[in-house]
Amino acid sequence: MIRVLVVDDQALVRAGFRMILEAEDDLVVVGEAADGIEAVELVERAAPDVVLMDIRMPRLDGVEATQRIMSARSHARVLVLTTFDLDEYVYAALQAGASGFLLKDTPPERLVDAIRIVAAGDAELAPSITRRLLGQFVASRPSAVAPPPWLAQLTERELEVLTLMARGRTNAEIADELYLGETTVKTHVGRVLMKLGARDRVQAVVMAYEAGVVVPGA
């Protein structure tokens, strides 16, 4: 059973999510929070697997709440929900440790699938939107003066895999493009995450853009 915490400052939105999620046999809502402070407290008490996190909330927004949850080394994974697909706060939330994001108008079945994906430790959520979001905001930031230390630790193949991950490719697509088995690709992805110290795929993509491994728009 996947334990979900719903965080949104609107009671009707929380109720709607609860109805959608609890209609599934493998999902259970273990709590609701109206702001980031409540969310952080409930993560500690209710031990959710996935936190559906709104961004713009009173008292404590979703970005800061995500940072606090990650700093507490909770096993919970954060899935950001936003009204705008190019919200600068979403990029900040990904940097803070969120495992992905969805728009609030996402179809119910897509939301449910995304929760299952995140709970399983993956983060292949809306790759085209994620790529566009990262490209928009990283492009506005100055390039790093020196390459990060982890870049030198990657083998040529691992760098190829990271580049394709950052371009929104799934493991199956990477396997086809590099003429590798999908199991081999999963092994490479695992090694990339380990060398980068990344929590998951999304965090690795954020780091790839910031390090200049992938140029936005290229």
Side-chain angles (χ1 to χ4, degrees), residues 84-106:
F84 308 103
D85 64 345
L86 288 180
D87 189 330
E88 63 192 47
Y89 293 102
V90 177
Y91 179 76
L94 293 177
Q95 286 185 307
S99 293
F101 76 97
L102 288 175
L103 302 182
K104 283 188 176 179
D105 61 0
T106 296

Side-chain angles (χ1 to χ4, degrees), residues 53 55 61-74 76-78 80 88-100 134 141 199-200 202-203 206-207 210:
M53 181 74 76
I55 287 292
D61 65 28
V63 174
E64 180 63 28
T66 298
Q67 289 176 332
R68 294 189 186 185
I69 291 169
M70 294 300 104
S71 296
R73 298 188 180 279
S74 165
R77 291 179 174 270
V78 176
V80 173
E88 63 192 47
Y89 293 102
V90 177
Y91 179 76
L94 293 177
Q95 286 185 307
S99 293
L134 294 175
R141 287 165 159 68
R199 180 180 176 88
D200 55 33
V202 166
Q203 294 305 298
V206 170
M207 294 172 71
E210 293 184 329

